[in-house]
Amino acid sequence: MNDSVLEQLDRVLAARKTAADPEASYVASLHAKGLNKILEKVGEEATETILAAKDASDETSRAELIGETADLWFHSLVMLSHLNLSYREVLQELERRFDLSGHDEKASRQ
Ligand SMILES: N=c1c2ncn([C@@H]3O[C@H](COP(=O)(O)OP(=O)(O)OP(=O)(O)O)[C@@H](O)[C@H]3O)c2ncn1[C@@H]1O[C@H](COP(=O)(O)O)[C@@H](O)[C@H]1O
């Protein structure tokens, strides 16, 4: 597999935005319902992630936290796609902050 999962998902999300039946595709149904519905889902998944994290004591609940975080990331990607943005801009921003922080140098000095 050459492409990352994010890259592959990005392509699927782009295709669902323009050429998919909302009856057959969950992502197309979110786009058809509009930004407010997508933001509602992001909020719901963020709350579910927080609740799962507060209860992440054993293997089962930690697996639930991973699942909720995946739902949150997924719905955040749909939100970005709806607004003609993608994970790439977010990664660029994280890279920029990482470069600015001089992270490696600081850590090795401690
Ligand atoms: N990664 C996901 C993914 N993660 C979560 N979900 C869906 O997100 C929803 C999560 O919402 P909830 O847990 O609140 O469940 P719900 O009560 O059914 O949701 P609502 O009725 O409130 O909308 C579920 O319907 C999940 O199926 C996803 N749906 C799709 N994908 C990816 O998106 C691709 C395109 O999907 P389609 O557009 O459906 O073809 C797929 O190939 C997958 O790779």
Side-chain angles (χ1 to χ4, degrees), residues 64-82:
E64 274 166 30
L65 173 59
I66 298 294
E68 294 300 350
T69 306
D71 282 350
L72 175 59
W73 287 16
F74 169 73
H75 286 88
S76 300
L77 291 172
V78 176
M79 173 193 72
L80 291 171
S81 170
H82 193 80

Side-chain angles (χ1 to χ4, degrees), residues 9 12-13 16 24-28 30 33 37 41 44-45 48 70-71 74-75:
L9 187 53
V12 173
L13 294 185
R16 296 294 191 267
S25 154
Y26 175 68
V27 175
L30 285 178
K33 287 174 188 161
K37 178 64 188 178
K41 292 302 297 179
E44 249 179 63
E45 302 304 346
E48 285 167 16
D71 282 350
F74 169 73
H75 286 88

Side-chain angles (χ1 to χ4, degrees), residues 100-110:
L100 285 178
S101 75
H103 180 273
D104 287 343
E105 230 174 276
K106 268 192 228 160
S108 63
R109 265 191 267 122
Q110 281 166 2

